[in-house]
Amino acid sequence: MAVRIEQNESIAIVTMSRPEAFNAFNTEQLRSLRDAVAEVTADREVRAVVLTGEGRRAFASGADIKEMSTMRPSEGLVFGQLGQSVTAAIEASPQPWIAAINGYALGGGCEMALACDIRLASENAVIGQPEVTLGILPGWGATQRLPRLIGAGLASELILTGQRLNADEAQRVGLVNAVYPQDDLLPKAIEMAKAIAANAPLAISASKRAILLSRDVDLTTGLAYEAQTFGLLFDSDDQKAGMTAFLEKRTAEFQGK
């Protein structure tokens, strides 16, 4: 199985499983991940998702170069669009996604992590966009998402040189939120996912949408959207449950309604 989904209470753990190729993406792997994203997104019981790679050496080492090496332009376009459909689906998912980067996250692997809301890395992580060393450019979103995350200048440096960052360097530039020993990475990612999942699902999804919107609109427009969404949430059962529980000094039980 190219992609495995496991349930841990209200958390889904999506594991990219092609360890013989360092979890590299061929067409089959991409389609499997696309289907997994759709399955998790549609599951109302899932409130947060952890994305990781099989084994201790790679999150995902990028697109399958053997498959790409014989592609014609039209085939490259289709392959690029397939990869973009996966990163776009992760980004558009109502649940927050946490990338647990356990080793190499290169090229398309880095782009999958960039599509997630939060990135955590193991101490052995190596992250980068080496596509220009292969005669192509990043095709699954890095030219657009990486500048928005770490700034245009640094993103240009990483993409144009093909430079790879170790975990500490990635944290220093804001590419990952935290670095952990390998054995602690997945438990820490699950711990964070559970902390997110304990909160009101409608408020979490609305917050994710507002944060994403902030990248593409001016401050006035973003604030107007925030205020409107803030008001709409007062019509939810979760708002009533959360505030009543606070006043009664107990833990709220949210239903996502």
Side-chain angles (χ1 to χ4, degrees):
M1 183 180 295
V3 177
R4 186 174 67 254
I5 301 173
E6 301 170 86
Q7 197 91 6
N8 185 326
E9 299 177 5
S10 56
I11 307 304
I13 303 169
V14 177
T15 303
M16 299 173 286
S17 183
R18 196 178 172 227
E20 73 281 0
F22 292 90
N23 303 322
F25 296 104
N26 56 15
T27 298
E28 179 185 0
Q29 175 82 335
L30 276 176
R31 288 174 176 163
S32 295
L33 183 55
R34 179 191 61 189
D35 293 345
V37 174
E39 180 180 338
V40 167
T41 296
D43 189 343
R44 290 181 58 85
E45 298 301 314
V46 174
R47 296 189 179 182
V49 185
V50 174
L51 178 65
T52 193
E54 185 77 28
R56 299 175 64 87
R57 300 183 65 184
F59 175 77
S61 60
D64 190 311
I65 297 173
K66 183 177 180 180
E67 181 178 357
M68 287 195 300
S69 66
T70 59
M71 287 182 180
R72 297 187 297 272
S74 59
E75 294 169 322
L77 172 61
V78 170
F79 192 58
Q81 290 172 332
L82 176 59
Q84 285 194 5
S85 73
V86 180
T87 55
I90 291 172
E91 193 170 66
S93 172
Q95 301 100 332
W97 284 62
I98 300 170
I101 305 171
N102 52 316
Y104 290 110
L106 302 174
C110 182
E111 288 169 304
M112 293 300 167
L114 290 173
C116 294
D117 302 280
I118 297 167
R119 285 155 295 281
L120 308 177
S122 62
E123 291 174 335
N124 70 323
V126 178
I127 304 171
Q129 299 291 159
E131 285 87 349
V132 294
T133 69
L134 301 171
I136 56 175
L137 85 164
W140 298 350
T143 65
Q144 305 305 305
R145 292 189 179 95
L146 192 57
R148 288 171 165 86
L149 181 64
I150 64 174
L154 187 52
S156 295
E157 178 183 343
L158 294 179
I159 291 172
L160 299 180
T161 65
Q163 177 185 355
R164 302 179 181 191
L165 301 180
N166 63 34
D168 290 337
E169 290 169 333
Q171 183 181 24
R172 177 177 56 79
V173 302
L175 184 50
V176 302
N177 294 55
V179 177
Y180 298 105
Q182 177 102 32
D183 291 339
D184 294 342
L185 175 64
L186 189 57
K188 287 291 186 180
I190 293 171
E191 179 183 330
M192 180 179 288
K194 287 183 176 180
I196 292 170
N199 297 318
L202 294 179
I204 291 295
S205 296
S207 297
K208 175 173 176 173
R209 288 195 302 272
I211 292 166
L212 288 172
L213 182 70
S214 72
R215 304 188 315 189
D216 301 315
V217 301
D218 60 80
L219 180 61
T220 299
T221 302
L223 288 173
Y225 177 85
E226 180 185 85
Q228 182 182 42
T229 307
F230 178 77
L232 288 172
L233 287 172
F234 279 82
D235 193 37
S236 69
D237 291 345
D238 280 355
Q239 175 267 333
K240 296 173 180 61
M243 294 192 180
T244 299
F246 178 84
L247 293 172
E248 294 177 356
K249 296 180 171 56
R250 59 177 174 81
T251 301
E253 296 184 7
F254 296 114
Q255 302 299 319
K257 297 186 291 184

